Amino acid sequence: MRLVVPVSGSDPKTRLSSVLRPDERREFTEAMLADVLDALETAGHSPRVVATAPVACDAPVTVDDRGLDSLVNDLLAETDGELAVVMADLPLLTADAVARLFAPDADVVLAPGLGGGTNAFVSRHPDFRVDYHGASIRDHRRVARDVGAAVAEVDSRLLATDVDEPGDLAEVLLHSDGAAADWLRDAGFELAVDEGRVTVDRP
Amino acid sequence: MRLVVPVSGSDPKTRLSSVLRPDERREFTEAMLADVLDALETAGHSPRVVATAPVACDAPVTVDDRGLDSLVNDLLAETDGELAVVMADLPLLTADAVARLFAPDADVVLAPGLGGGTNAFVSRHPDFRVDYHGASIRDHRRVARDVGAAVAEVDSRLLATDVDEPGDLAEVLLHSDGAAADWLRDAGFELAVDEGRVTVDRP
């Protein structure tokens, strides 16, 4: 089964603009991608990266400026629906979590992200298609049901934790010692602990 | 093994004050507690609730105004460290997620919450103790290591999703049809979908 990791190479992670400069956002994006590729490869997969602009990583990269929906739906059509897609901004990902994504014997396996996204899927159904806008996990459940696919969802915090906003950076520092966590620490980020949820500071 | 669900019965969920009145926060707390108890009982457990003030639920309730750390550490001492604690604000919890919490053959099993908390644990070690302040998951990893306990962490989004802040309510509406989700819908909450993460509105 083909396994694709889409990533924005041009102006990634704009919602981190309040804490990271453009060049830093690109570096941090590549660090998260390295963590994702490492988890996938450790789990025995051979991922390919599809990026909107060149990115540095240890996997084959295709530069393709199609939007995410067009890209993934074209790939689903090309592969007769035998496709796995894992997002590039999941720096907590481990080989065990990857194995759990591929384990269910279902036509479509969905990994919900926090806030309604779909952070990864495995499709084994010819008619499954994606729509990443809005609360995509709801749309993907509906699409899978409408085409008659048996659906499973994987209950994984590590797959659910995509990093989009400054508040998400705490999860990386709390739970990872991978490339993205190293990058944050080198850039001066540290955990800020008071009442309520832990956040980050960059003193 | 004794299984305890601690809950604040007096003035719960103060960080939801911007969207819920005090009586609504108590009702919503009881709805989340009902979801948690349902998942635990479906998984074959017999949880006991320990509340700081009387709460309505379908499990035995003890009213106890000790702080959370004192309460849990006294229970750990009484039970020689054979204790499970599951927080009451996990409305996405399912019997499968509960089974995964109890599955690892480890002295201490930790379920991290979003933002550095510890949403559930299973202890089978006489010297494990808790400290829920700050980034408790880090402290609990350290405590377990310091007492020589073998530690496992359960990778579960459903166990990780505690509801403390208005932004967390979207997770309930996205992923649950339990008592807490029903309560939110009856109270007029609905998903608000635009760019970025899904949030809630109460029009």
Side-chain angles (χ1 to χ4, degrees), chain A residues 101-163:
Chain A
L101 173 67
F102 282 88
D105 182 20
D107 297 327
V108 174
V109 183
L110 300 172
L114 300 175
T118 307
N119 285 355
F121 74 80
V122 174
S123 169
R124 305 179 184 101
H125 192 285
D127 300 323
F128 181 66
R129 295 295 181 272
V130 297
D131 176 354
Y132 281 105
H133 297 96
S136 70
I137 191 69
R138 291 198 304 177
D139 297 326
H140 293 151
R141 287 172 183 152
R142 181 183 43 74
V143 169
R145 195 172 52 232
D146 288 352
V147 301
V151 183
E153 291 196 22
V154 56
D155 170 27
S156 167
R157 179 179 62 88
L158 305 179
L159 277 161
T161 306
D162 48 340
V163 174

Side-chain angles (χ1 to χ4, degrees), chain A residues 115 141 155-157 171 175, chain B residues 115 141 155-157 171 175:
Chain A
R141 287 172 183 152
D155 170 27
S156 167
R157 179 179 62 88
E171 300 299 324
H175 298 295
Chain B
R141 288 171 182 151
D155 170 26
S156 168
R157 178 179 61 87
E171 300 299 324
H175 298 295

Side-chain angles (χ1 to χ4, degrees), chain A residues 15 97 100 112 114-116 134-135 138 141 155-158 160 162 164-165 168 171 174-175 191 193 196-198, chain B residues 15 97 100 112 114-116 134-135 137-138 141 155-158 160 162 164 168 171 174-175 191 193 196-198:
Chain A
R15 285 191 277 157
R100 291 184 53 224
L114 300 175
R138 291 198 304 177
R141 287 172 183 152
D155 170 27
S156 167
R157 179 179 62 88
L158 305 179
D162 48 340
D164 287 315
E165 300 173 358
D168 304 327
E171 300 299 324
L174 278 164
H175 298 295
L191 290 173
V193 178
R197 293 207 171 136
V198 175
Chain B
R15 284 191 276 156
R100 293 185 52 225
L114 301 174
I137 192 69
R138 292 198 304 179
R141 288 171 182 151
D155 170 26
S156 168
R157 178 179 61 87
L158 305 180
D162 49 340
D164 286 316
D168 304 328
E171 300 299 324
L174 279 164
H175 298 295
L191 290 172
V193 178
R197 294 208 172 137
V198 175

Side-chain angles (χ1 to χ4, degrees), chain A:
Chain A
M1 176 178 294
R2 205 188 301 184
L3 170 53
V4 168
V5 179
V7 62
S8 171
S10 38
D11 185 32
K13 293 292 153 199
T14 50
R15 285 191 277 157
L16 291 174
S17 298
S18 62
V19 296
L20 293 178
R21 298 188 310 263
D23 60 311
E24 291 178 324
R25 286 189 277 119
R26 279 192 295 276
E27 287 178 20
F28 181 59
T29 295
E30 289 181 348
M32 291 197 290
L33 175 62
D35 288 335
V36 169
L37 294 173
D38 184 48
L40 293 170
E41 287 161 3
T42 304
H45 296 277
S46 301
R48 302 179 192 190
V49 172
V50 181
T52 57
V55 293
C57 68
D58 285 334
V61 178
T62 305
V63 174
D64 190 316
D65 63 0
R66 275 176 288 185
L68 185 60
D69 285 352
S70 300
L71 171 73
V72 173
N73 284 331
D74 288 353
L75 289 169
L76 280 164
E78 282 171 32
T79 59
D80 203 27
E82 297 275 327
L83 181 71
V85 171
V86 176
M87 293 301 160
D89 58 353
L90 310 177
L92 305 188
L93 197 62
T94 61
D96 283 348
V98 173
R100 291 184 53 224
L101 173 67
F102 282 88
D105 182 20
D107 297 327
V108 174
V109 183
L110 300 172
L114 300 175
T118 307
N119 285 355
F121 74 80
V122 174
S123 169
R124 305 179 184 101
H125 192 285
D127 300 323
F128 181 66
R129 295 295 181 272
V130 297
D131 176 354
Y132 281 105
H133 297 96
S136 70
I137 191 69
R138 291 198 304 177
D139 297 326
H140 293 151
R141 287 172 183 152
R142 181 183 43 74
V143 169
R145 195 172 52 232
D146 288 352
V147 301
V151 183
E153 291 196 22
V154 56
D155 170 27
S156 167
R157 179 179 62 88
L158 305 179
L159 277 161
T161 306
D162 48 340
V163 174
D164 287 315
E165 300 173 358
D168 304 327
L169 299 176
E171 300 299 324
V172 186
L173 293 179
L174 278 164
H175 298 295
S176 174
D177 55 6
D182 282 351
W183 190 93
L184 288 174
R185 289 187 189 103
D186 287 347
F189 285 90
E190 56 191 45
L191 290 173
V193 178
D194 52 14
E195 293 311 299
R197 293 207 171 136
V198 175
T199 57
V200 295
D201 265 349
R202 195 181 189 181

Side-chain angles (χ1 to χ4, degrees), chain B residues 15-34:
Chain B
R15 284 191 276 156
L16 292 174
S17 297
S18 63
V19 295
L20 294 178
R21 298 188 309 264
D23 60 313
E24 292 178 325
R25 287 189 274 120
R26 278 192 295 275
E27 286 178 21
F28 182 59
T29 294
E30 289 181 347
M32 293 197 289
L33 175 62

